[in-house]
Amino acid sequence: KNIHGISVYSLIRYDHHHHHDHKDLRRWRSRTTAAASAYPLFSNPKASSSRHKFYQEALKTARDKFAGEISFQSEDKDVSLAKALLYVAAEDETFMVFNREMDACSFLNEGINVCSSSNAREWDSVEQMPLDGKTISEWLSELDAIAKEVEAELVSRDIGCHLVEVLQAVNLVLFELRGFKRSPVLVDSKHSYLHLVLSSGCGSAILLSIIYIEVCRRLGLTIVGSRVGEDFLIWPQTTYPEELFKVTSGHSLFAVVNGRCVEDPRSMASDLTGSSLLGLEIASNRDIVGIALANLIRFHWKCASRSNLGLMLTSPLRHAHNADEKPNKIDKPNVPLLRPQDLKLAIMASERLLILQPHNWALRRDHGMMLYYNREYGKAVQELSICMAFAPEEEAELLEPFVEKLHLMRLESSWKSLGHTASMTVK
């Protein structure tokens, strides 16, 4: 059988072991020993505590590396899109690996044998952490390798470095030779993390744009981009944008870079011209990282709330603002049950995005609401209170009754933790 991605070979009964069952007992012990070697958390309590500390430090290091990469103390042009998103992947992977070890430990404690496909890997730093078999530096080298393939393609054609030829060569290597393609619907996390897109060749539009930008940067070509409707469009930085729309061989250069969305009449990109392109706001490197993080938040929230179809982050705000509710009674928390790992991953992505956009009141509101759904009422009160200081007046008025209610729920929760069960009322 398979439980949460962990192979389960047998159920161990603890209710009896007859004197002639020594072979079964020895077999169970040998399996337990094997599991202990595969999952260090099983070894002993001291090892478990040490392992937990190790993962906590790894999570902090990955977050610090990300914050350092996108720091506003450095110029935007020096921000590496690839490094920033690989640090995001390293933090999330560390969190998921630790959860897998904890799950496996729980299964073993319940008497369920756990089979590991490979021994837990030891690594001393985030840079050495394996992400789908490669370290961060090796994934950066993968981008270098793609750029070298483009150079080799240009050499084989015996042509110069004219802009059109370079971009055609990039397209050839990425989309024909390597088979990269855009996933129309994000239903898998592998489409949302840079290293997994590089590995699988399938990803979201923003991550494919990031790969395109990073490859061209290694070729000495600056690619810029902007949001247009639901799409993120990219194009080579040029003084004469009208040249991007001249049609040669049936396509404009703008279409060569951005693919079919430019020629799709349903896309806002189809209406762009050289003049309107000048009116678009160019996304900074930090903006692009922010778009990727926002996509991660949406993806993980969707996964977390899958069993609560149509659940909105802000739904409880409308309920709290209902004037018909009795104001003196604290309702029992009626928080829908969400998938805890996906909810936590959404919260982690939101925390990173807040580093980039600390004054974004809507983002802080959504972050506070996710903390509410995660039953972290104290933190939710703090975030939503900060949000109220930045939010427009009408939004602050909507938040105020919910924050008051949440504050009282937190007090009630603390009261119950001390052994008191009487309900609280506001006098």
Side-chain angles (χ1 to χ4, degrees), residues 240-252:
Y240 306 103
E242 60 272 10
E243 292 185 354
L244 300 175
F245 293 87
K246 291 181 179 177
V247 177
T248 56
S249 302
H251 296 283
S252 68

Side-chain angles (χ1 to χ4, degrees), residues 151-168:
E151 290 176 344
E153 175 63 27
L154 291 169
V155 170
S156 69
R157 295 185 186 186
D158 192 27
I159 57 177
C161 292
H162 189 273
L163 183 60
V164 176
E165 280 81 8
V166 173
L167 293 175
Q168 286 177 340

Side-chain angles (χ1 to χ4, degrees), residues 204-235:
S204 64
I206 187 65
L207 287 184
L208 291 183
S209 295
I210 288 170
I211 291 171
Y212 206 105
I213 291 169
E214 287 283 345
V215 169
C216 287
R217 185 177 65 80
R218 285 160 170 76
L219 297 169
L221 180 61
T222 300
I223 299 290
V224 296
S226 178
R227 268 184 169 173
V228 179
E230 296 297 317
D231 296 305
F232 184 81
L233 304 178
I234 55 176
W235 62 91

Side-chain angles (χ1 to χ4, degrees), residues 81-116:
L81 299 175
K83 277 187 180 180
L85 293 181
L86 288 170
Y87 287 135
V88 167
E91 183 180 353
D92 285 3
E93 181 63 22
T94 300
F95 172 74
M96 289 186 285
V97 167
F98 178 66
N99 276 1
R100 283 195 291 269
E101 289 199 9
M102 291 298 291
D103 286 346
C105 185
S106 297
F107 278 123
L108 185 67
N109 290 338
E110 294 170 14
I112 302 174
N113 186 43
V114 180
C115 179
S116 172

Side-chain angles (χ1 to χ4, degrees), residues 330 403-413 424 426:
I330 301 175
V403 172
E404 289 177 356
K405 182 176 177 178
L406 199 55
H407 179 66
L408 294 172
M409 285 168 59
R410 180 187 64 170
L411 291 177
E412 184 179 29
S413 179
M424 281 180 70
V426 182

Side-chain angles (χ1 to χ4, degrees), residues 32 56 83 91 106 127-128 149 154 164 196 205 208 252 255 257 262 273 289 325 361 367-368 379 381 399 405:
T32 303
Q56 291 301 316
K83 277 187 180 180
E91 183 180 353
S106 297
E127 280 74 10
Q128 293 178 359
E149 288 177 29
L154 291 169
V164 176
L196 294 176
L208 291 183
S252 68
V257 175
V262 173
T273 63
V289 172
E325 279 194 21
W361 70 267
H367 182 64
K379 291 182 179 179
V381 166
L399 280 166
K405 182 176 177 178

Side-chain angles (χ1 to χ4, degrees), residues 123-167:
W123 32 276
D124 298 325
S125 66
V126 169
E127 280 74 10
Q128 293 178 359
M129 179 185 179
L131 296 171
D132 201 36
K134 294 181 180 179
T135 63
I136 287 176
S137 62
E138 287 172 334
W139 283 117
L140 292 173
S141 296
E142 182 69 12
L143 290 167
D144 296 339
I146 295 174
K148 289 187 182 301
E149 288 177 29
V150 175
E151 290 176 344
E153 175 63 27
L154 291 169
V155 170
S156 69
R157 295 185 186 186
D158 192 27
I159 57 177
C161 292
H162 189 273
L163 183 60
V164 176
E165 280 81 8
V166 173
L167 293 175

